[in-house]
Every structure is written in structure tokens, then in C-alpha cells.
Amino acid sequence: MAKKKGKIRKIRRYRKPLNLNIGMMIFVVIFIYVVVCVIMYFQTSHIVRYEVKEGSLAADTIYRGIVLRDETVVYADTAGYVNYYAWDGARVAQNDLVYIVDETGRLSEELESMQLGENSLSDQELDEFKNEIVNFVHGFDAGHYSGAYDFKYSLKNTVSKLANANILKNIEDLNAASGNSVINRFNAPATGIVAYWLDGYEDLTAVNVTEDVFDNPEYEKKWLSDNALIEAGDAVYKLSTNENWTLVVPVDPVRGAELQEEGYVKVRFLKNQYESWAAVKLLTNGDGNTYLQLSFTNSMLTFIADRFLDVELIVEDETGLKIPVSAIVQKEFFLIPEQFVIPGGNNGGDSIRKQSFQEDGTLSSETLEVEVYYFDSETKEYYLDSSILSSGDNLYDSQGEETYTVSKRATLTGVYNMNKGYADFKQITVLYENDEYAIVKPNTRYGLSVYDYIALNAESVRDDQFINQK
């Protein structure tokens, strides 16, 4: 007996009904909102504000200059061993003994055999040594290590001259013993200050100074050693006969012009912190660079052993409102003659009368409130925004008798003020600026005041833009 086949039924998965969770929905909405806000935040240009405060800026006034004097190089007439008796940097009168030349070398041998005792120096001589050491310690700059060698040679010559002075009384005995004059005296040809070094710049003048003078890898300061063997015609010393001297420094043309306008400037020498006033002259030399010639009438003796000096020009710091340079912007305005701007409008502001046409074509005028951004007291012109004016507009004077066609434009320097919640241009007068900050004239009629808020970055702001402050 055959079995009866039953019906085959399909099994379907049971779908649960959608059960909305209100907490989950709120979380999703908040998450989407936060994501949108973050995206908008990074896509929006945020304006950072800066509070205007009083301050000052000091100009970069440290310079390295070259010393120029009236220097006469004196040459030897006789060959032999030279021995100096005038101190390096000593002031000598005409016909004072400066050096002797020992033709035989006997004086040199006596100097070598001579022993200076522990107490052989006087108090004055010890003070000279102390002053040399103190000046070297205070003026030494590791960046110019050659100064250490200058100090070494200076002390060496000082010691030799002390020894020479002690045996000067024996010179006549040496000449008598030899039967003839083998030791020759040489006196100063004129009154001046003695120096025992050469560098080839003795004849250099201020107008011939170039950039290569300050950056010369072959520059060498040659010290003239005591007890050295010389030939006739060799340089033995140099004599500076004039107390007047100059220091030439490379300078920015704009800054140099400002200093020249002052006439005189106070100079601080970094070597010893000595201060002196100098007359100022601006030079444009053959290499096209600008140099400042500082002329002094004293203290030449103090720096007789120096060719290059680091100095600070002491100028008055500019004081006013201190703002970042990034906040400064240039904006163009229309220039309107004084008689076409009516002071004291309905709201206490200024206004203009602009020519217009009625619907029937008849000529008329309308009074518009305007904001004045600057008034030039020399040209008697107001600076007005171009948002309500266009080139070719005609204006009436207060009496309605004269007309003026708007066309003339000019640019003002200013910042965007944020006090009112929108970008409001304010004209400024920059007194001085460097790479980061500017000093602005305070309390001007159309300018800034202390504690005003301005846009830190002027490039991120548009005129009359609503400020989303940060």
C-alpha cells in the first residue's frame, strides 16, 4: 500500500518589530551635531583679537665699525736691533726719545741676561698692567679671538720697555767701551701718540670703506716686536698726531638718514662701556652700501690699539601703542575737500549732500551719514569710505552752491578695530616698527586708544565683517 505524500511548508525567519530607543536617537543627533560643528570650526576663518597696550621698541643699535685716525708710519734709518722706550699708546712730545737701534746686539745680550726682581715694578707700573688686564677681560669677545693675541703682544712689549728703561743709563757706557757710537737714538718727529702695530689700513679714509674691509679673510694685525732685528727702511712705529678720529659702521639707509637728521648720537663702546657723543654723517660709498661716519674729538688714546670696535648707538626708544605688524593693513579711500563734508549730522556725526535724480528725472540731493577715517590738515581733505561713494558722484557743499565730482583716491595705513563687534577700520600713524611689532602714535582723533581690541591678523578680516571673537 503506497504512502500518501504530505505538503512541504517553507520556513521563514521571524522579523522582530522595529523598536526605537529614544536614548539612542538623542545620542545619534548629538553626535552628528558635534561632527558638523567641528567641520564648520576648521572651515571657518576665526578672528583672533589683540588688546592694544602701551609699550616701546628699541632699535637694533649694535654695530661693528672700523677705526680711522691720522696715522703716520715712521721708518728706520739704520739697521740693527730695535729697542723701544716709549710706551705703546704713550703721548710723546716732539724730540722725545721713542726707540734706539743697537747695531752690534750687545744691548740685546744685556737685556737677556738682566733679571727683573719680584719687586722691580713701581706702583704706577703695576697699575698700568692691571688696567691692561681689566680692559682685556671686559672687552674680550670669543667671536674675535684675535684680541687675545693683541693682548699678548701688548704685555710682551710692556715688559720689554720696562727692562729697556732700567738699562737706558748704561747706554753711554756701552758706547764708550766700543770706542764709537753703536747705539743710535731716534726721537719723535712731532707730538703724538705712539703705537707699535700695523695692519695696512693706516691710509684708509671714510669714503673708501667698503664691505670687504669688514669681511677680509686676509686681514692681519702685525705687532712690531721689541729687540727685533730690522733693516733700514723697515717700519718701526706709527704716530697719531690728531686727537680727532672717526668710526665708520655699515647701516641701513633709512636708519642712517634718521640718525643723520639728529646730527649727533650718543655712543657706548662695548669694550669698556665708555660713552661719548659723536657727530653723524651718512656716506654712500663706492660699493653702493650705506655707512655712518661717527666723528669723535676725544678718547682716541683709549682705543689706540684697536682697528675694529663694537658699539651701541644710544637712541631714544619710541614709545606709544604697541601692536603686532600682522594687524596692519592698507585701505583705499576717496578724498573729499573739507567744504563738501558737513560736520555734526543728525546723530552727531558727519554727512555729505549727494546729487541724485527723482523718479520723474528731476535733479535733487540726498543727505547721507558718513564715517570719516582721517582728515589731512595740510591738504584740507577728508578720507571717506568707498562703500557709499563711487567715482563720478557729484557732491554739494553745505550751501548747495558748489559741486565736486568724486574721483581722487588715497591709501591709509590702519588696523581693524573690534570694539563694536564688527571690523571697523582705524587709521594709525606708525612711529617705528621691527619684524614683529610696531609703535603707533596714541590718542589720535581717528586712531586707536589703549585697551582697544583689534584683529591680530588683518588678512583674515573683511570690511564690516561680523566678528566671531576668539
Side-chain angles (χ1 to χ4, degrees):
M1 180 176 180
K3 292 183 179 180
K4 187 177 181 180
K5 294 181 179 180
K7 294 184 178 179
I8 300 175
R9 296 181 179 181
K10 294 182 178 179
I11 300 175
R12 297 180 179 179
R13 180 178 296 178
Y14 174 76
R15 291 184 180 180
K16 294 181 180 180
L18 181 63
N19 186 11
L20 297 178
N21 188 318
I22 187 66
M24 182 63 70
M25 292 179 61
I26 294 175
F27 174 79
V28 171
V29 171
I30 293 175
F31 178 77
I32 295 174
Y33 174 77
V34 171
V35 171
V36 172
C37 289
V38 171
I39 294 175
M40 292 180 61
Y41 177 86
F42 286 104
Q43 290 182 343
T44 304
S45 176
H46 293 272
I47 300 173
V48 180
R49 68 179 187 174
Y50 175 87
E51 184 180 9
V52 177
K53 296 181 180 179
E54 292 182 335
S56 64
L57 284 181
D60 183 9
T61 58
I62 304 297
Y63 300 91
R64 183 167 180 80
I66 183 170
V67 178
L68 303 179
R69 318 174 187 84
D70 290 336
E71 298 173 316
T72 300
V73 180
V74 179
Y75 299 92
D77 295 330
T78 306
Y81 292 90
V82 62
N83 295 276
Y84 296 117
Y85 288 90
W87 289 76
D88 187 29
R91 187 185 300 275
V92 295
Q94 186 176 8
N95 294 323
D96 279 356
L97 177 63
V98 178
Y99 72 99
I100 64 173
V101 174
D102 174 19
E103 297 182 17
T104 63
R106 291 182 60 190
L107 181 60
S108 178
E109 293 175 1
E110 183 166 340
L111 286 174
E112 292 179 358
S113 62
M114 181 179 178
Q115 298 294 330
L116 293 178
E118 183 179 350
N119 298 317
S120 61
L121 299 181
S122 67
D123 291 341
Q124 180 180 357
E125 292 166 343
L126 285 173
D127 288 339
E128 292 288 343
F129 275 106
K130 291 178 182 179
N131 289 335
E132 282 195 65
I133 295 172
V134 170
N135 289 337
F136 169 73
V137 171
H138 287 290
F140 178 68
D141 181 3
H144 304 287
Y145 190 74
S146 59
Y149 293 100
D150 296 343
F151 176 65
K152 170 187 172 183
Y153 286 117
S154 179
L155 285 183
K156 180 179 178 181
N157 284 342
T158 299
V159 171
S160 297
K161 284 187 285 288
L162 286 174
N164 291 354
N166 288 335
I167 66 168
L168 183 59
K169 59 184 178 180
N170 297 325
I171 291 180
E172 297 299 331
D173 295 337
L174 291 174
N175 281 336
S178 64
N180 57 10
S181 180
V182 295
I183 298 178
N184 304 295
R185 297 169 177 254
F186 293 92
N187 301 328
T191 299
I193 298 173
V194 174
Y196 298 111
W197 59 274
L198 302 171
D199 64 354
Y201 288 155
E202 284 74 22
D203 296 326
L204 184 66
T205 59
V207 295
N208 292 325
V209 173
T210 62
E211 186 178 1
D212 294 338
V213 170
F214 296 92
D215 188 20
N216 182 6
E218 298 181 358
Y219 175 79
E220 181 182 2
K221 190 174 183 180
K222 179 184 177 182
W223 284 88
L224 303 174
S225 300
D226 196 39
N227 299 325
L229 180 62
I230 61 172
E231 300 289 340
D234 287 349
V236 284
Y237 70 96
K238 61 182 178 181
L239 192 66
S240 297
T241 58
N242 196 332
E243 184 67 20
N244 297 334
W245 61 289
T246 61
L247 184 71
V248 180
V249 300
V251 69
D252 176 80
V254 176
R255 190 59 177 167
E258 294 174 352
L259 293 172
Q260 180 174 242
E261 189 175 350
E262 295 293 329
Y264 288 85
V265 64
K266 195 173 186 180
V267 180
R268 177 183 293 124
F269 299 92
L270 302 188
K271 179 179 180 179
N272 56 4
Q273 300 303 306
Y274 176 80
E275 295 180 359
S276 181
W277 285 92
V280 178
K281 182 180 180 181
L282 195 63
L283 304 173
T284 301
N285 290 353
D287 61 348
N289 294 325
T290 305
Y291 300 89
L292 205 63
Q293 179 180 332
L294 306 173
S295 300
F296 301 90
T297 59
N298 54 37
S299 66
M300 191 269 286
L301 174 60
T302 305
F303 307 107
I304 191 64
D306 299 296
R307 179 62 71 191
F308 296 95
L309 286 173
D310 293 323
V311 296
E312 178 183 5
L313 304 187
I314 305 175
V315 295
E316 294 184 1
D317 296 344
E318 295 289 359
T319 303
L321 303 180
K322 188 175 182 179
I323 65 173
V325 173
S326 60
I328 299 176
V329 67
Q330 304 287 330
K331 185 179 177 182
E332 192 174 55
F333 295 88
F334 283 116
L335 271 66
I336 307 301
E338 181 181 19
Q339 63 268 31
F340 294 95
V341 177
I342 306 170
N346 296 332
N347 298 322
D350 301 320
S351 61
I352 58 173
R353 295 182 63 190
K354 182 179 176 181
Q355 188 183 85
S356 61
F357 291 91
Q358 301 291 339
E359 293 181 358
D360 58 2
T362 59
L363 192 63
S364 181
S365 65
E366 59 177 333
T367 301
L368 301 175
E369 294 284 340
V370 295
E371 182 178 358
V372 175
Y373 290 88
Y374 182 66
F375 176 70
D376 192 328
S377 58
E378 294 184 1
T379 63
K380 304 297 182 183
E381 293 175 314
Y382 285 95
Y383 285 70
L384 301 185
D385 195 357
S386 58
S387 60
I388 61 172
L389 291 174
S390 301
S391 294
D393 287 346
N394 291 320
L395 305 180
Y396 293 108
D397 64 3
S398 57
Q399 305 299 323
E401 298 176 353
E402 297 184 23
T403 61
Y404 173 77
T405 302
V406 177
S407 62
K408 189 177 180 181
R409 293 174 178 263
T411 300
L412 286 179
T413 301
V415 297
Y416 285 113
N417 188 293
M418 300 169 60
N419 292 350
K420 300 178 181 178
Y422 61 90
D424 184 20
F425 181 90
K426 293 292 183 181
Q427 181 268 344
I428 60 173
T429 300
V430 177
L431 300 177
Y432 178 74
E433 68 177 284
N434 57 25
D435 294 337
E436 297 181 358
Y437 289 95
I439 296 299
V440 175
K441 188 176 181 179
N443 303 322
T444 57
R445 181 178 179 184
Y446 301 102
L448 293 175
S449 299
V450 65
Y451 305 128
D452 281 349
Y453 286 98
I454 62 175
L456 179 62
N457 185 4
E459 295 182 355
S460 64
V461 184
R462 302 186 308 273
D463 289 330
D464 299 324
Q465 177 184 350
F466 175 76
I467 303 299
N468 180 18
Q469 297 182 3
K470 181 182 178 182

